[in-house]
Amino acid sequence: NDEQAKLQILMSSLTDEQVDRYEAFRRSKFSQSQIKKIVHSVTGVSPSANCCIVLCGIAKVLVGQVLEASFDVQDSLKESGSVQPKHIRDAVRRMRNRGELGFSGHRKHKLKRL
């Protein structure tokens, strides 16, 4: 299969650390029951199973993006070892400033009436 061949080429070009991170990412997942509880507590509505699956996927991608940005922050500070909370906070701040999170987090937006 062409897709498998492309994946093999990609995997062979990764460092051991990158392969470990990729494998951990593939194995990780968010609990649908926890996502369902969070959505219900925020919206007051019990989400469908399909909604929970989608939200689990979105959450996983978001966490992956924040972690990659955290590694970039760590590299820019010329630090090594495990990612620290300060790296994550700085990564989220940078992503928010670049508009990559889709929300500002600190501003309240008023709804406009049509």
Side-chain angles (χ1 to χ4, degrees), residues 32 35-36 39 46-58:
Q32 289 186 28
I35 294 290
K36 187 173 186 173
V39 171
S46 185
S48 69
N50 286 342
C51 179
C52 288
I53 291 169
V54 169
L55 290 174
C56 287
I58 291 169

Side-chain angles (χ1 to χ4, degrees), residues 11-72:
M11 293 297 287
S12 66
S13 67
L14 297 177
T15 65
D16 289 342
E17 181 183 356
Q18 290 171 325
V19 170
D20 290 343
R21 273 195 266 165
Y22 173 75
E23 289 172 350
F25 176 78
R26 292 280 298 177
R27 285 191 309 267
S28 65
K29 70 176 195 168
F30 283 91
S31 163
Q32 289 186 28
S33 64
Q34 289 297 320
I35 294 290
K36 187 173 186 173
K37 287 178 187 177
I38 292 168
V39 171
H40 187 268
S41 71
V42 171
T43 65
V45 177
S46 185
S48 69
N50 286 342
C51 179
C52 288
I53 291 169
V54 169
L55 290 174
C56 287
I58 291 169
K60 182 175 176 176
V61 169
L62 176 63
V63 169
Q65 290 174 335
V66 170
L67 280 174
E68 283 302 315
S70 299
F71 285 116
D72 293 342

